[in-house]
Amino acid sequence: MSQCVKAMLSRKAICCAASLSIFAVAALYFGAAPIFSLLLAPMSIAGKVLVPDTVDKLSQVGEGVITLAGMADVRSGGDGHWMESLFHAQDAAGLVGAAAEHGCRDMHVGTVGAGRSRGNHRHHNKNETIILWGAAGIVRVERPGGVISDFRVRPGDRVLVASPSGLGHAIKADRGGGDMMLIACADAAWDPSHPATDYQVWNDW
């Protein structure tokens, strides 16, 4: 084994040992349970502004979640106001949701009550773009291949969820907080007699 390879392996071992030591000290100081719960908590979308999820590359061609800065549109006006071009933000992030060329054939406004959930369904005949704000909660999105990701939404976040046809989504507001506000735009009309939608996709939601 060359001296170069040995040196690289030695550095990796030192970094690994240091990481384990830091984790062990944190576990002794704070307790193991909080540390493990932190590692298993839904990933935060804080700071993800107009960019797709860089960890799961499937989000570039499928469903994903981004935060909206509110300053990309010149019509925001400043002075604490915010405004965003939803189709531009969605396209800039490389996500697939309601198609601008088809327009909002079904636009609806609503709330997700504290401790309650909405969605948990999968449309088969339309793409949908959802805007969320106003309270903390979790957004679940399905990716191609059935992979699911849960994203943590903070009270001050303004979030765009892009949901292509054939992939599910669900929204849950935290208990003890306020209501989450939502506006949804779908590029096909809703027909209650033929909804073309799978309901209660996930039993744990």
Side-chain angles (χ1 to χ4, degrees):
M1 184 181 296
S2 68
Q3 294 297 322
C4 181
V5 173
K6 289 181 178 179
M8 290 175 62
L9 291 176
S10 177
R11 283 195 294 269
K12 288 182 178 179
I14 292 173
C15 290
C16 181
S19 299
L20 290 174
S21 298
I22 292 172
F23 180 84
V25 171
L28 288 173
Y29 186 80
F30 296 104
I35 299 300
F36 280 111
S37 65
L38 179 63
L39 293 176
L40 297 176
M43 65 190 77
S44 173
I45 55 176
K48 292 182 179 293
V49 180
L50 302 184
V51 294
D53 181 358
T54 56
V55 176
D56 185 352
K57 298 299 182 182
L58 291 176
S59 66
Q60 297 183 25
V61 294
E63 181 163 345
V65 177
I66 56 174
T67 52
L68 299 172
M71 302 303 293
D73 195 307
V74 296
R75 297 168 293 181
S76 64
D79 296 327
H81 306 301
W82 70 278
M83 183 175 290
E84 196 74 62
S85 173
L86 304 182
F87 291 127
H88 173 77
Q90 181 174 267
D91 292 343
L95 302 179
V96 180
E101 60 268 25
H102 296 152
C104 290
R105 303 290 302 279
D106 176 20
M107 176 176 282
H108 41 286
V109 181
T111 62
V112 184
R116 307 294 294 275
S117 63
R118 298 195 73 144
N120 196 7
H121 55 225
R122 183 189 296 119
H123 301 301
H124 290 282
N125 64 340
K126 58 185 175 184
N127 305 306
E128 190 170 24
T129 299
I130 304 167
I131 310 303
L132 297 169
W133 77 95
I138 300 176
V139 177
R140 172 170 292 184
V141 294
E142 182 180 18
R143 308 296 178 81
V147 177
I148 60 172
S149 295
D150 290 347
F151 291 89
R152 164 60 60 183
V153 178
R154 302 174 306 176
D157 286 337
R158 299 180 287 265
V159 177
L160 181 151
V161 183
S163 180
S165 176
L167 296 176
H169 55 269
I171 305 161
K172 182 183 295 183
D174 286 353
R175 294 182 181 276
D179 293 351
M180 296 181 79
M181 309 295 294
L182 71 85
I183 298 177
C185 166
D187 55 17
W190 180 60
D191 182 354
S193 61
H194 299 89
T197 299
D198 299 330
Y199 296 103
Q200 297 301 313
V201 175
W202 298 291
N203 293 328
D204 64 335
W205 200 258

